[in-house]
Amino acid sequence: MTVDTVGRFERALEGLDVELERVSAADATERIETIVEEPAVGAPLPFEGVSLPDDVTTGPTTAELEAARTGVTPVGFAIAEYGTVAIESTADGAEPISLYPDRHVAVVAESDVVPDLSAGFTRLADGFDAGRESVVFATGRSATADMGDLVHGVHGPGTVRVIVLEDR
Amino acid sequence: MAQRTRSQQADRIRHLLETEGDAIHAQTSASNARRGDVYDVTDDLEALRTDARAIKEDAIDDLPELIETVREAVEANGGTVYVADDAADANAYVADVVEQNGSTDAADEPSVVKSKSMTTEEIDLNDALEADGIDVTETDLGEWVLQVADDTPSHIVGPAMHLSRAEIADLFNERFDPDEPFETAEELTRFARDHLGEIITDADVGITGANFVVADSGTITLVTNEGNARKCAVTPDTHVAIAGVEKLIPTLSDLEPFVDLIAKSATGQPISQYVTMLTPPTDSPTLEFDSPDEPITAGGGGGAAGPIGDPDREFHLVLLDNGRMDMREDDQLRETLYCIRCGACSNSCANFQSVGGHGFGGETYSGGIATGWEAGVHGQDSAAEFNDLCTGCTNCVDACPVKIDIPWINTVVRDRVNRSDEPEAYDFLVDGLTPDAESGGLDPGKRFFGNIGTVAKAASATAPVSNWLADAGPVRAALERTLGIDRRRDLPTFRRESLVDWFEKRGGFAASSRRAAQADSRDDGADVDREVVCYPDVYTNYVDTERGKAAVRALEALGVPVRVPDLPESGRAALSQGMIATADRQASRVYAALAEDLDAGRDVVVIEPSDLAAMHREYERLLPESSYERLREGSYEICEYVYGLLENGADPSALSTGDGAEPVAYHSHCQQRTLDLEAQTVAVLERCGYAPVTSDAECCGMAGSFGYKREYYELSMDVGERLAGQLEGADTVVASGTSCGDQLETLLERDVPHPIELLAPGRYRA
């Protein structure tokens, strides 16, 4: 690939005040551990050799979900053009885990970062064909201007961090 | 009576200007500026808009089939589709669903959390549910503020933007009595999040709208920045999505241009924070907040999820007709159904920026497109209340992501409203003066302005007596009473000698040819070999004849002979009053009068941009296609034409040139700008040695007859002051439109000529 898609993704996220980190699979668990604020909940990461830190609770109770400060989830793919991550509604709770806590840590494989919205729609269509028909394109942090000024973190997370697994 | 309504309307607008104007202007103009910026940097914007419109055209065409397609898809997923005929039908269905899913404890009221939806505003769902003992909470912060304040939305996208932070803080301090009074937006938001968070986790049913519904998969698309729609849709076990039938699009790939466009057009963001594509019931586990120690994934959805999602989930899609299927059959209102509710038409509208949706709205919808929606879903009377606030400037057409001709919808509804009125007591006053094609009962003020050409001709023939008379106190009082012309407004001064008479007196075409030939022989520039028919619009012919004379002299100096025949009115004035039959007849007359010139290869040059806009845009609906094309291709705005001559080698030194740095503040007419003709005037001024700076205010606010009308005078001045503020520092101010010139002369208290007056030989005395 001649264009640096992850670089473009990173620049788009910078504009949204979202930090991106590139890590290898071997280092991922440790990096995630330093980023999460506890208590943390998460959906299992489907990347070979990458697991959630021990302190991140999977299959949380509703009380744990409500109390959590951080939610860690994998994302199906990301769209570099807009700094968007695609969160799939899976049975292990990725949707509520990415939504309820104030901090969302999104983990994506480098090979799943696509350049633009059109490429994103191609991936979306592939997912639909495979039965993954509920997806959220999340771009940056939850925001509102309804109270007179721009404020982040309303019903959704107020901070978002993105981890790109470089060797995937 | 008519005049009491007019006076009440004036009071209402004044009140809105004072109470909501500042907050509305700050928000809408900021969104509009961001939209302009993001449109500018979107490479494929035109392709996206064209695609989006084509998808909507086809989808509305195929709507009955799409309803059946989505029904099959949603039912295959285990959900239910209900097509509701009207508001009562939809509300009864939703109330039924809520009651069946409420708490089993009879003492508990069933509770609903809602994500903002204008469609549920349209049917007054909250009132209906509350009447059934159901507790409803809005979760969109703006919508919740309105619920707490018992107020109505003023904008499709920012429903509470008419309230300032301080007003919201006062409201919340009074209602919720916090330990420490709320002050900042941060504090208000944090409180709202916590308060609403608890309500959401306890709710029995979540209700959302739908920005788009993909028919073949049954996918609901929700576009939000806050994330409340996500929480409402996935937190309670039962989700009801309510959408107008027009929200259906065929397939997932059809969604792409809309996802790309909607945030850009709405708020100027590249994309919204959350675009949720939900194909319910989803695999996401249900959240039982009253069983806090149960793992969320331990239910039926955990681990071995079946193909149809979490079995605890229930989903209902309510598709609302409420007049939409009739709109689909209506050739003029059908376009309204392409609307994606982004609010760009509101944000780009100068009048809306001043008064907001409470002035520019019917029962539910506000802004430019509201006329179509209200006429379709609530009936013509609702649309009639505010329809005249559209001045036809067409800024909204360029802003609209699906290219809806909103001013035309407003014109059509105005025409229909005109026809539904009872005959007026004042008909006799204007009957003699108005040879129009309209039936009786038309508002006399509208009829007067719609026939302004006839009025001007009579006034010119009797000038200066007519001018003295028109300025006399009793006459102004009568004009205000019968025609609604505000007495604070200066009336145009009619010239005894019309432009056409002046031109004939100085020798007509023969003399013009001689002058052009002399100019040609003097310079060794390009031999342009063109002939021009200069269109004498009403104003140029009878009032501002100087700009007509300047146009003739400038063209001759560049070697182009000119004709100024007595031509029929363009129909622009009639269109502004919604008198389509009259405009249609006038368009035919104009074409008939110009056909020979067009056949002879002569160029038609138009000075007044609104008349050119009628020929280039509205005539498409009034003339046979080939006539329309022929006239459009053969007609030019005066400075555009001069630009063309200079580009083809004509020598600018034949004109009155500046010293290369002479500053000129230039306001292009709004319709001229939307025809993309501002740049040519700027280029001509630059080529002729001036240093033009342009205004970017939406509009002058005068807009033809609009600013003369008593009920709109103050609004017109409010809009005009924003423009005047941009121009007041300049030594020389020029404007292309007659209305713009009049308005600026009033506000700046100085002469504001047309640019061609600055450029014509024997330069304008500033």
Side-chain angles (χ1 to χ4, degrees):
Chain A
M1 203 184 295
T2 51
V3 181
D4 177 12
T5 304
V6 175
R8 191 180 181 192
F9 185 40
E10 185 168 17
R11 284 189 298 280
L13 287 171
E14 261 170 37
L16 300 161
D17 277 328
V18 172
E19 229 174 279
L20 176 145
E21 279 191 61
R22 305 165 193 239
V23 299
S24 64
D27 298 335
T29 307
E30 197 187 324
R31 284 305 303 153
I32 293 167
E33 194 161 15
T34 62
I35 290 172
V36 298
E37 281 180 23
E38 290 179 19
V41 294
L45 301 176
F47 310 104
E48 201 189 320
V50 182
S51 57
L52 285 169
D54 293 343
D55 295 338
V56 176
T57 307
T58 53
T61 65
T62 47
E64 285 167 331
L65 179 68
E66 264 195 301
R69 299 182 64 179
T70 306
V72 186
T73 73
V75 298
F77 58 95
I79 300 168
E81 178 181 21
Y82 292 135
T84 300
V85 294
I87 301 157
E88 292 169 356
S89 291
T90 50
D92 49 24
E95 160 70 339
I97 289 167
S98 72
L99 180 63
Y100 271 85
D102 187 56
R103 170 177 289 233
H104 176 216
V105 178
V107 186
V108 62
E110 184 177 29
S111 56
D112 287 327
V113 182
V114 302
D116 54 24
L117 189 67
S118 284
F121 260 82
T122 304
R123 289 292 300 262
L124 187 67
D126 292 347
F128 266 55
D129 289 344
R132 300 192 302 275
E133 294 188 325
S134 293
V135 178
V136 181
F137 283 178
T139 307
R141 304 165 289 162
S142 160
T144 184
D146 282 343
M147 293 300 184
D149 279 312
L150 186 65
V151 179
H152 287 103
V154 194
H155 300 283
T159 53
V160 176
R161 301 284 289 261
V162 172
I163 305 263
V164 175
L165 300 173
E166 278 189 314
D167 49 354
R168 296 291 126 144
Chain B
M1 283 306 299
Q3 82 230 49
R4 198 171 69 217
T5 306
R6 192 164 257 144
S7 151
Q8 284 170 342
Q9 175 77 337
D11 289 345
R12 197 165 76 99
I13 287 175
R14 187 181 311 114
H15 177 73
L16 289 172
L17 283 169
E18 285 166 5
T19 54
E20 302 183 359
D22 289 347
I24 288 281
H25 180 252
Q27 297 239 33
T28 51
S29 61
S31 284
N32 193 45
R34 283 196 304 267
R35 177 194 58 75
D37 292 345
V38 77
Y39 272 17
D40 284 346
V41 300
T42 304
D43 294 338
D44 51 352
L45 180 73
E46 279 316 298
L48 282 172
R49 292 173 75 211
T50 304
D51 283 357
R53 185 180 172 91
I55 290 165
K56 277 289 186 184
E57 283 179 1
D58 290 348
I60 297 303
D61 227 29
D62 297 338
L63 202 46
E65 294 80 15
L66 290 179
I67 292 171
E68 288 320 303
T69 306
V70 81
R71 189 193 296 281
E72 283 170 28
V74 170
E75 285 175 1
N77 292 341
T80 309
V81 174
Y82 184 76
V83 179
D85 290 337
D86 55 22
D89 189 9
N91 290 339
Y93 181 82
V94 177
D96 211 34
V97 170
V98 176
E99 266 153 33
Q100 283 172 15
N101 286 280
S103 163
T104 45
D105 182 351
D108 279 354
E109 281 188 356
S111 67
V112 165
V113 283
K114 255 183 75 192
S115 166
K116 190 196 128 196
S117 146
M118 289 306 280
T119 309
T120 60
E121 287 285 334
E122 175 189 322
I123 59 176
D124 293 319
L125 176 71
N126 290 9
D127 291 347
L129 294 181
E130 279 159 9
D132 275 1
I134 296 164
D135 197 38
V136 184
T137 306
E138 296 289 348
T139 62
D140 172 90
L141 294 200
E143 200 74 11
W144 186 53
V145 167
L146 296 184
Q147 191 179 27
V148 173
D150 196 19
D151 199 351
T152 54
S154 63
H155 191 280
I156 293 177
V157 174
M161 66 162 62
H162 56 288
L163 297 172
S164 67
R165 180 187 48 76
E167 286 169 315
I168 299 170
D170 288 347
L171 172 73
F172 277 34
N173 287 329
E174 192 182 312
R175 178 63 59 90
F176 300 105
D177 195 23
D179 297 338
E180 287 286 317
F182 301 122
E183 269 180 41
T184 65
E186 288 272 356
E187 290 163 359
L188 288 162
T189 303
R190 198 181 323 128
F191 169 73
R193 176 182 57 207
D194 294 346
H195 182 89
L196 293 174
E198 282 177 29
I199 295 174
I200 292 171
T201 54
D202 289 343
D204 298 312
V205 175
I207 298 181
T208 68
N211 293 83
F212 308 95
V213 180
V214 178
D216 76 348
S217 57
T219 305
I220 313 302
T221 306
L222 302 167
V223 182
T224 75
N225 283 335
E226 294 179 11
N228 56 310
R230 292 171 71 186
K231 278 193 172 165
C232 288
V234 303
T235 305
D237 302 351
T238 303
H239 173 204
V240 181
I242 303 177
V245 285
E246 83 286 359
K247 299 282 182 71
L248 286 163
I249 53 173
T251 66
L252 184 69
S253 66
D254 295 314
L255 190 59
E256 186 184 332
F258 297 105
V259 168
D260 216 348
L261 277 169
I262 190 165
K264 293 183 174 75
S265 52
T267 54
Q269 297 170 267
I271 190 169
S272 291
Q273 265 81 354
Y274 303 115
V275 178
T276 302
M277 285 146 288
L278 200 63
T279 311
T282 81
D283 291 338
S284 260
T286 57
L287 305 175
E288 299 294 341
F289 285 93
D290 43 11
S291 316
D293 300 324
E294 294 284 318
I296 60 172
T297 53
I308 59 162
D310 190 311
D312 291 343
R313 290 192 175 276
E314 186 174 324
F315 174 68
H316 300 260
L317 172 63
V318 179
L319 292 171
L320 180 69
D321 178 348
N322 206 31
R324 288 164 172 79
M325 294 311 259
D326 289 339
M327 289 166 80
R328 183 175 167 266
E329 301 293 324
D330 184 323
D331 283 343
Q332 310 296 345
L333 290 186
R334 184 186 304 124
E335 258 193 285
T336 308
L337 298 171
Y338 307 161
C339 169
I340 60 169
R341 316 292 211 286
C342 69
C345 55
S346 307
N347 296 336
S348 62
C349 172
N351 283 345
F352 188 96
Q353 286 188 3
S354 282
V355 293
H358 290 145
F360 215 121
E363 289 178 37
T364 304
Y365 296 99
S366 66
I369 195 64
T371 293
W373 281 120
E374 288 297 328
V377 305
H378 289 129
Q380 212 156 274
D381 287 350
S382 178
E385 281 176 22
F386 60 93
N387 172 263
D388 283 345
L389 280 159
C390 171
T391 63
C393 77
T394 64
N395 281 334
C396 56
V397 182
D398 285 356
C400 178
V402 279
K403 302 185 179 183
I404 298 175
D405 191 346
I406 295 165
W408 181 255
I409 292 172
N410 274 287
T411 303
V412 167
V413 171
R414 197 170 296 165
D415 188 51
R416 293 178 185 178
V417 169
N418 287 345
R419 284 164 200 284
S420 65
D421 280 356
E422 292 300 308
E424 290 275 347
Y426 297 112
D427 266 4
F428 71 93
L429 265 179
V430 278
D431 266 353
L433 278 175
T434 54
D436 58 40
E438 308 299 316
S439 54
L442 186 59
D443 173 273
K446 285 190 174 168
R447 213 158 169 195
F448 175 83
F449 285 115
N451 286 283
I452 195 71
T454 314
V455 175
K457 193 170 188 173
S460 165
T462 54
V465 176
S466 54
N467 294 321
W468 299 335
L469 264 181
D471 271 345
V475 175
R476 290 308 302 258
L479 287 175
E480 188 168 279
R481 194 170 60 247
T482 58
L483 304 178
I485 297 173
D486 196 288
R487 69 179 87 187
R488 288 164 289 188
R489 193 58 95 173
D490 288 339
L491 292 180
T493 305
F494 293 98
R495 299 300 178 92
R496 184 65 184 250
E497 184 183 65
S498 70
L499 178 69
V500 170
D501 291 345
W502 168 83
F503 185 77
E504 282 313 308
K505 219 152 83 185
R506 74 198 274 274
F509 177 66
S512 185
S513 298
R514 277 198 307 277
R515 290 187 177 92
Q518 277 170 12
D520 252 351
S521 66
R522 269 199 303 272
D523 74 59
D524 50 4
D527 186 12
V528 283
D529 194 27
R530 303 297 304 175
E531 273 183 39
V532 157
V533 176
C534 182
Y535 178 75
D537 65 88
V538 171
Y539 211 85
T540 306
N541 199 23
Y542 296 114
V543 181
D544 194 359
T545 53
E546 293 309 315
R547 66 177 190 173
K549 294 173 190 175
V552 171
R553 287 200 303 269
L555 291 168
E556 288 170 352
L558 295 170
V560 178
V562 182
R563 297 162 197 262
V564 188
D566 194 2
L567 291 170
E569 282 179 75
S570 71
R572 160 57 59 198
L575 280 172
S576 297
Q577 309 305 324
M579 295 159 60
I580 295 175
T582 304
D584 192 16
R585 195 172 67 177
Q586 285 167 338
S588 300
R589 287 179 177 166
V590 168
Y591 185 75
L594 286 171
E596 192 178 331
D597 293 303
L598 293 166
D599 286 343
R602 293 171 198 134
D603 301 319
V604 177
V605 167
V606 181
I607 300 172
E608 176 57 39
S610 60
D611 287 272
L612 185 76
M615 295 176 192
H616 283 210
R617 274 202 286 252
E618 282 89 349
Y619 277 21
E620 186 175 10
R621 302 175 188 271
L622 305 175
L623 291 179
E625 192 181 340
S626 57
S627 309
Y628 160 69
E629 297 276 347
R630 198 162 173 67
L631 180 56
R632 193 192 58 185
E633 278 159 24
S635 52
Y636 306 85
E637 193 266 342
I638 176 69
C639 289
E640 176 196 16
Y641 196 76
V642 169
Y643 173 77
L645 293 173
L646 297 179
E647 282 292 290
N648 282 290
D651 183 0
S653 70
L655 300 173
S656 288
T657 50
D659 63 6
E662 191 174 333
V664 174
Y666 169 53
H667 171 66
S668 178
H669 183 283
C670 43
Q671 287 175 333
Q672 183 181 12
R673 282 191 281 167
T674 56
L675 288 170
D676 282 332
L677 293 174
E678 180 182 30
Q680 287 86 333
T681 302
V682 171
V684 168
L685 287 167
E686 283 169 351
R687 293 278 291 269
C688 290
Y690 299 93
V693 287
T694 56
S695 62
D696 61 8
E698 256 63 47
C699 180
C700 73
M702 185 73 183
S705 62
F706 183 82
Y708 285 109
K709 293 178 182 169
R710 188 178 164 202
E711 62 270 44
Y712 305 125
Y713 171 77
E714 275 147 339
L715 173 54
S716 159
M717 296 298 270
D718 189 72
V719 173
E721 274 163 13
R722 294 203 285 267
L723 172 61
Q726 292 189 337
L727 303 176
E728 61 192 351
D731 282 346
T732 306
V733 180
V734 293
S736 297
T738 51
S739 301
C740 324
D742 284 351
Q743 175 83 321
L744 286 170
E745 288 185 350
T746 300
L747 288 160
L748 299 173
E749 298 179 328
R750 58 207 272 198
D751 278 351
V752 177
H754 189 285
I756 201 69
E757 292 178 72
L758 194 68
L759 296 166
R763 92 175 266 190
Y764 178 83
R765 303 161 310 281

